[in-house]
Amino acid sequence: MEYIALGSWFLNDIAFADGRKMEDLMGGCGLFAYCGLLQYTSDALFLGAVGTDMEEKFGAFIDRNHISRKGFLTYPNRTTVARLRYEPDGQWNEEFFYGPRELGIDVNFHVPEMYEKVEQVLSQGRTKGLYTVDKVADRDSQRRMDRLREKYGVKLMWELFTADCRPENLKTLVEEALPCYDIYSLNRTESYTLFSVSTEEEAIQRILEIGRPCFFRAGSKGSYMIRDGHVAFMPTVNLVPREQEIDPTGCGNCSTAAALWAFCEGYDDLEIAALANVAAAYNVQQYGPWPTFTPELRAQALAKGLALAGEARRAEG
């Protein structure tokens, strides 16, 4: 496989800020990231923990999108349920039920097997990029990733955990964790807490000072690709009228993985941000991920993103 998304695949029960409530929606950072890859390529693998009811819950989606089951690591319980609540200010919180936690099993109990599977895929010599969500304190995982990167030449995208974006983690993140990855991603709210700043401009300056490539998500405003002292901004993409955009859940994971794909494929900074925004624009149109990925859809998404980047480039002069 050319691309891998590591992470979770579970169900979301969501209480929206406007009073809507939905249950049994496909979710999980790993799934949404995987779908961000599927937006542009079929040559991608989801690799992560799943429940014993995987086929019952998701079999139709798996078959419809020709998803390989080789990356599934099954824990002995039904699929994890995340109860997610959105606040009016856009913040959110979640609680988890079922899955490994209910059994008293460490959520990372599959880690040794996971890394074995990752290396099996990488050893084939075709993988360009890998998306992961590691914790700042998980130095073992970071070292494993760094070794795999050095051994196989794969590019690593690290999406930061919201809970880890605290000022006391900044020194460790910059000096020890980030050097293990090629590119990282965080959103605007996370950056304010992590850097102890209150404006987007201040956050961008701190990212520039760190000096590592960063896909910086600015919510409904758009996104930035920041690297080599250069800041490229692309506004949010709306493929349907805003009132028809249904659910923002997973847009950050989806756009981050799409940015990884574009980064690995050699697109420039404006193109990376535009292609990532297009992936999020598909994701927001329904509850859960986009239902069916086809070659035609991928061609349309790619053309749209590149056209938007071209327009932005011409506007810059």
Side-chain angles (χ1 to χ4, degrees):
M1 295 288 184
E2 289 190 341
Y3 292 91
I4 302 173
L6 299 183
S8 55
W9 187 331
F10 48 71
L11 290 169
N12 281 326
D13 291 349
I14 305 178
F16 294 92
D18 61 9
R20 286 176 295 149
K21 292 184 178 180
M22 296 294 295
E23 296 183 347
D24 281 351
L25 302 175
M26 278 193 292
C29 61
L31 171 63
F32 281 116
Y34 179 59
C35 289
L37 296 174
L38 289 182
Q39 190 71 64
Y40 295 107
T41 179
S42 61
D43 200 349
L45 178 73
F46 168 85
L47 205 163
V50 300
T52 52
D53 54 355
M54 187 72 175
E55 294 297 332
E56 172 192 343
K57 296 290 186 182
F58 313 121
F61 178 83
I62 293 168
D63 291 337
R64 187 168 63 247
N65 287 289
H66 310 289
I67 295 170
S68 171
R69 291 166 169 82
K70 292 181 179 179
F72 295 170
L73 302 171
T74 306
Y75 50 76
N77 199 354
R78 61 162 287 188
T79 295
T80 295
V81 173
R83 292 181 184 166
L84 177 64
R85 177 180 296 277
Y86 284 104
E87 304 298 339
D89 62 359
Q91 298 298 306
W92 52 270
N93 57 76
E94 60 186 350
E95 294 181 275
F96 293 94
F97 302 86
Y98 310 109
R101 284 185 176 89
E102 186 183 75
L103 300 173
I105 300 173
D106 187 318
V107 293
N108 295 319
F109 78 104
H110 271 311
V111 163
E113 185 180 355
M114 182 185 73
Y115 283 107
E116 289 173 8
K117 282 184 173 287
V118 168
E119 186 148 20
Q120 287 173 8
V121 177
L122 296 183
S123 67
Q124 298 172 13
R126 298 181 55 247
T127 306
K128 299 178 182 178
L130 184 150
Y131 163 100
T132 187
V133 183
D134 287 327
K135 294 182 179 179
V136 170
D138 194 347
R139 296 294 295 129
D140 286 342
S141 178
Q142 293 154 18
R143 293 186 186 101
R144 288 190 188 102
M145 286 297 185
D146 198 25
R147 286 195 293 268
L148 292 176
R149 183 179 65 157
E150 291 181 1
K151 185 174 182 179
Y152 298 105
V154 62
K155 286 182 168 46
L156 304 181
M157 164 67 88
W158 180 24
E159 182 175 350
L160 301 186
F161 272 113
T162 298
D164 277 353
C165 293
R166 304 191 307 271
E168 60 265 32
N169 286 333
L170 183 58
K171 180 178 173 63
T172 300
L173 182 134
V174 173
E175 296 181 0
E176 300 181 42
L178 281 180
C180 296
Y181 302 87
D182 298 276
I183 180 172
Y184 69 105
S185 178
L186 77 165
N187 66 35
R188 180 172 52 200
T189 302
E190 293 164 344
S191 74
Y192 288 178
T193 306
L194 178 65
F195 300 130
S196 301
V197 299
S198 58
T199 68
E200 199 171 289
E201 292 72 22
E202 290 174 304
I204 290 171
Q205 182 57 41
R206 297 299 296 276
I207 292 169
L208 286 166
E209 291 168 2
I210 290 171
R212 303 291 291 182
C214 178
F215 175 62
F216 181 49
R217 313 187 311 273
S220 60
K221 178 181 177 179
S223 68
Y224 298 82
M225 182 61 207
I226 303 171
R227 62 172 162 176
D228 299 331
H230 179 251
V231 179
F233 172 73
M234 284 298 302
T236 294
V237 176
N238 304 106
L239 298 178
V240 296
R242 280 190 177 272
E243 60 270 18
Q244 295 179 25
E245 294 181 341
I246 293 175
D247 182 7
T249 308
C251 284
N253 311 124
C254 180
S255 61
T256 293
L260 169 66
W261 177 85
F263 179 79
C264 293
E265 294 296 323
Y267 290 100
D268 68 29
D269 293 345
L270 277 174
E271 291 166 340
I272 291 170
L275 291 166
N277 290 358
V278 168
Y282 279 97
N283 188 78
V284 79
Q285 291 183 51
Q286 65 287 309
Y287 295 110
W290 186 262
T292 308
F293 296 92
T294 64
E296 294 76 19
L297 182 83
R298 293 184 180 106
Q300 291 169 8
L302 180 62
K304 178 69 172 178
L306 296 182
L308 289 170
E311 292 171 10
R313 198 176 294 109
R314 288 190 290 274
E316 287 181 349

